[in-house]
């Protein structure tokens, strides 16, 4: 009769170890994509056998991180603005919403060049890319954004800008909670600087209060 009670602490301990390994992997792989599993085990404070019990190899660990990122992204997108929101406010809102998610999982973009695979990263980012493209299409149609580039091409350019800004945060060149990035994105989309700042100031406080914190 005592075995089920004994197994529950073991399961809780296993879940705790798995979560700690993933959190450590996000941090350490963000610093160095070539960090080994042995180094990750030491940084997480677990023995090598414990790490390999959860993740048999590097590919399994990265896939777990990819799935975690996908779930967090979908959760954050649940708070995305609806089509009734003016496009400039919607783009600022979405940028602020996605910034902490990107900050938390930016190492996946670096790992795409190593062993995760560009296709898997594209699969994770597809919902966000579609949302931004839809906002830009609506904004160009409504005259909020100039139609100087096709929406899909502009969306790709804005994504690259966000990635570059996240890298600057990673290197310590930039400090940002997403506010400066949101202003930069609006300007790149064609909104003059002062109106862009006004939009972000109007949207920012409520979005930042609900954002997923980076770890």
């Amino acid at each position: 009769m005592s075995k089920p009670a004994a197994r529950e602490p073991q399961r809780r301990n296993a879940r705790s170890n798995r979560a700690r390994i993933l959190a450590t992997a996000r941090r350490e792989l963000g610093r160095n994509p070539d960090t080994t599993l042995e180094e990750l085990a030491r940084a997480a404070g677990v023995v090598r056998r414990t790490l390999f019990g959860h993740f048999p190899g590097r590919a399994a660990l990265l896939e777990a991180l990819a799935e975690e990122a996908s779930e967090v992204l979908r959760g954050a997108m649940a708070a995305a603005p609806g089509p009734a929101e003016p496009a400039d406010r919607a783009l600022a809102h979405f940028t602020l919403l996605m910034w902490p998610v990107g900050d938390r999982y930016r190492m996946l973009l670096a790992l795409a060049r190593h062993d995760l695979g560009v296709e898997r990263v594209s699969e994770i980012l597809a919902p966000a890319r579609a949302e931004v493209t839809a906002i830009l299409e609506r904004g160009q149609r409504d005259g909020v954004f100039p139609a100087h580039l096709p929406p899909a091409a502009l969306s790709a350019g804005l994504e690259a800008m966000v990635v570059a800004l996240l890298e600057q945060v990673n290197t310590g060149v930039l400090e940002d909670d997403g506010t400066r990035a949101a202003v930069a994105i609006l300007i790149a989309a064609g909104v003059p600087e002062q109106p862009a700042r006004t939009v972000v100031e109007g949207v920012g406080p409520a979005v930042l209060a609900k954002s997923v914190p980076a770890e």
Side-chain angles (χ1 to χ4, degrees):
M1 296 294 292
S2 62
K3 289 184 179 178
R7 283 197 296 268
E8 182 55 34
Q10 291 174 352
R11 285 195 292 265
R12 285 199 299 267
N13 188 55
R15 288 194 295 267
S16 175
N17 282 339
R18 187 179 191 278
R20 185 162 67 250
I21 291 166
L22 287 173
T24 302
R26 287 196 305 268
R27 183 183 69 245
E28 297 301 322
L29 290 172
R31 294 171 179 167
N32 177 15
D34 295 319
T35 300
T36 67
L37 295 184
E38 289 77 9
E39 290 169 336
L40 287 177
R42 287 195 297 271
V46 300
V47 298
R48 185 176 182 273
R49 184 177 62 183
T50 297
L51 187 148
F52 277 87
H54 290 285
F55 309 106
R58 184 178 177 88
L61 175 61
L62 295 181
E63 179 53 36
L65 285 169
E67 184 55 36
E68 184 185 66
S70 183
E71 291 177 5
V72 172
L73 180 62
R74 289 194 299 266
M77 286 191 64
E85 185 84 353
D88 51 355
R89 288 178 59 87
L91 185 56
H93 186 146
F94 195 77
T95 302
L96 289 164
L97 202 62
M98 292 297 105
W99 181 261
V101 180
D103 190 27
R104 189 177 184 183
Y105 293 102
R106 63 181 179 269
M107 49 79 190
L108 288 175
L109 300 172
L111 290 170
R113 296 189 298 272
H114 289 67
D115 39 12
L116 185 63
V118 175
E119 294 81 5
R120 184 68 174 109
V121 174
S122 294
E123 180 183 345
I124 295 168
L125 296 178
R129 288 171 172 171
E131 179 69 18
V132 172
T133 299
I135 291 172
L136 294 171
E137 286 177 347
R138 177 158 54 88
Q140 290 184 355
R141 184 178 63 246
D142 296 344
V144 176
F145 305 131
H148 55 303
L149 286 172
L154 181 55
S155 177
L158 297 181
E159 179 185 314
M161 175 182 285
V162 169
V163 171
L165 292 175
L166 284 169
E167 283 302 315
Q168 294 307 301
V169 171
N170 197 33
T171 60
V173 172
L174 176 67
E175 292 185 8
D176 192 17
D177 59 359
T179 300
R180 299 170 77 179
V183 172
I185 289 298
L186 285 180
I187 292 172
V191 179
E193 179 182 359
Q194 192 50 55
R197 292 185 181 279
T198 300
V199 168
V200 174
E201 287 169 3
V203 172
V207 179
L208 292 173
K210 298 184 294 184
S211 292
V212 177
E215 294 183 0

